[in-house]
């Protein structure tokens, strides 16, 4: 599979963010990618989550989600991206990843399970956690792609569940807050999940200044095979999915 990590710098202008996503999708498709992976909160992002996230929230098939579907269908490329999903019964929306197939159909979604409440950051004050946490694994051109959002990676149980559900690549979409040791933690956690379960991890984060950037792809043995710095950029590479089965077979012997 050829995939693209789209390390963008989303802000509080959803229309601008959509234009940036559209430009990245066009470039990824021109490069021959099957899948373009965008960060958490690709739709709308600020230095701190606040009441405005509920104000901009939409259902997954709302204006923003429909625009993502149109981009996918137009360019014949699957898309994973973070949106602010309207909660049907509450004021606090969901932090949701959607995965859209190459034909524009919604293949699945993952609502963030473990909200980031640490070091003065209180995501749960404004965002609802997933009410019925389940692993999301979808098939994109015959490849099993699992979804994980930011601080979900700090809890190993989702990584286990994704492996049991057959994930061969895990799209880890984040807006990793800067801070002491945070870059090391980002890289170590992504590598740990890959090593534990012998799948690829495609970890994409929002760019600076809101986040640390530093998107990376990790192979099933935990080797970082490609990475970016902190600025907005695209990373496109080929991933040999047969390596997952080979590594798992070797480990089972």
């Amino acid at each position: 599979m050829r995939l693209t990590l789209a390390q963008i710098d989303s802000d509080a202008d959803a229309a601008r963010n959509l234009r940036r996503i559209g430009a990245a999708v066009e470039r990824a498709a021109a490069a021959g990618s099957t899948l373009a992976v965008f960060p958490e909160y690709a739709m709308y992002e600020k230095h701190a989550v606040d009441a405005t996230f509920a104000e901009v929230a939409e259902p997954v098939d709302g204006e923003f989600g429909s625009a993502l579907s149109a981009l996918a269908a137009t360019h014949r490329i699957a898309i994973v991206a973070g949106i602010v999903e309207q909660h049907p019964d509450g004021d606090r929306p969901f932090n949701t990843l959607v995965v859209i197939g190459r034909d524009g159909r919604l293949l699945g979604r993952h609502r963030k399970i473990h909200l980031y409440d640490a070091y003065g950051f209180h995501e749960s004050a404004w965002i609802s956690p997933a009410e019925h946490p389940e692993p999301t694994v979808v098939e994109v051109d015959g490849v099993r792609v699992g979804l994980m959002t930011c601080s979900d990676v700090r809890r190993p149980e989702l990584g286990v569940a994704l492996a049991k559900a057959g994930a061969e690549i895990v799209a880890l979409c984040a807006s990793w807050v800067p801070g002491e040791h945070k870059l090391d933690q980002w890289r170590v956690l992504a590598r740990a999940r890959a090593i534990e379960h012998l799948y690829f991890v495609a970890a994409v984060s929002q760019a600076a200044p809101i986040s640390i950037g530093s998107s990376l792809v990790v192979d099933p043995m935990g080797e970082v095979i490609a990475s970016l710095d902190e600025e907005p950029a695209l990373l496109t590479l080929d991933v040999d999915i047969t390596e997952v089965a080979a590594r798992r077979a070797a480990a089972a012997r």
Side-chain angles (χ1 to χ4, degrees), residues 15-35:
R16 169 188 174 275
N17 297 336
L18 184 59
R19 290 194 295 272
R20 291 193 170 193
I21 291 170
V25 165
E26 185 173 0
R27 288 175 57 193
S33 290
T34 299
L35 174 66

Side-chain angles (χ1 to χ4, degrees), residues 48-131:
V49 183
D50 59 20
T52 64
F53 282 68
E55 294 170 5
V56 302
E58 300 179 359
V60 294
D61 59 353
E63 183 177 351
F64 199 91
S66 296
L68 293 179
S69 293
L71 283 170
T74 297
H75 296 286
R76 300 298 298 170
I77 186 171
I79 296 172
V80 175
I83 69 166
V84 186
E85 182 191 359
Q86 193 173 69
H87 195 302
D89 302 313
D91 295 329
R92 292 182 302 153
F94 296 108
N95 178 347
T96 299
L97 299 179
V98 293
V99 54
I100 299 167
R102 300 176 77 178
D103 60 358
R105 291 186 304 112
L106 179 70
L107 299 181
R109 67 180 162 191
H110 169 70
R111 291 170 173 166
K112 189 174 183 180
I113 301 169
H114 306 291
L115 302 181
Y116 187 63
D117 290 347
Y119 301 103
F121 201 91
H122 301 290
E123 188 177 19
S124 67
W126 308 102
I127 302 293
S128 294
E131 296 169 335

Side-chain angles (χ1 to χ4, degrees), residues 117-187:
D117 290 347
Y119 301 103
F121 201 91
H122 301 290
E123 188 177 19
S124 67
W126 308 102
I127 302 293
S128 294
E131 296 169 335
H132 305 289
E134 294 181 354
T136 300
V137 177
V138 302
E139 191 169 300
V140 176
D141 275 19
V143 178
R144 301 280 291 170
V145 179
L147 302 181
M148 184 182 289
T149 309
C150 201
S151 49
D152 284 340
V153 74
R154 293 182 176 274
R155 307 289 183 90
E157 56 266 29
L158 180 57
V160 173
L162 290 170
K164 289 182 177 179
E168 296 166 301
I169 298 178
V170 169
L172 167 57
C173 305
S175 184
W176 202 258
V177 178
E180 187 178 11
H181 305 303
K182 292 297 294 293
L183 175 58
D184 285 342
Q185 291 171 10
W186 167 244
R187 294 172 65 91

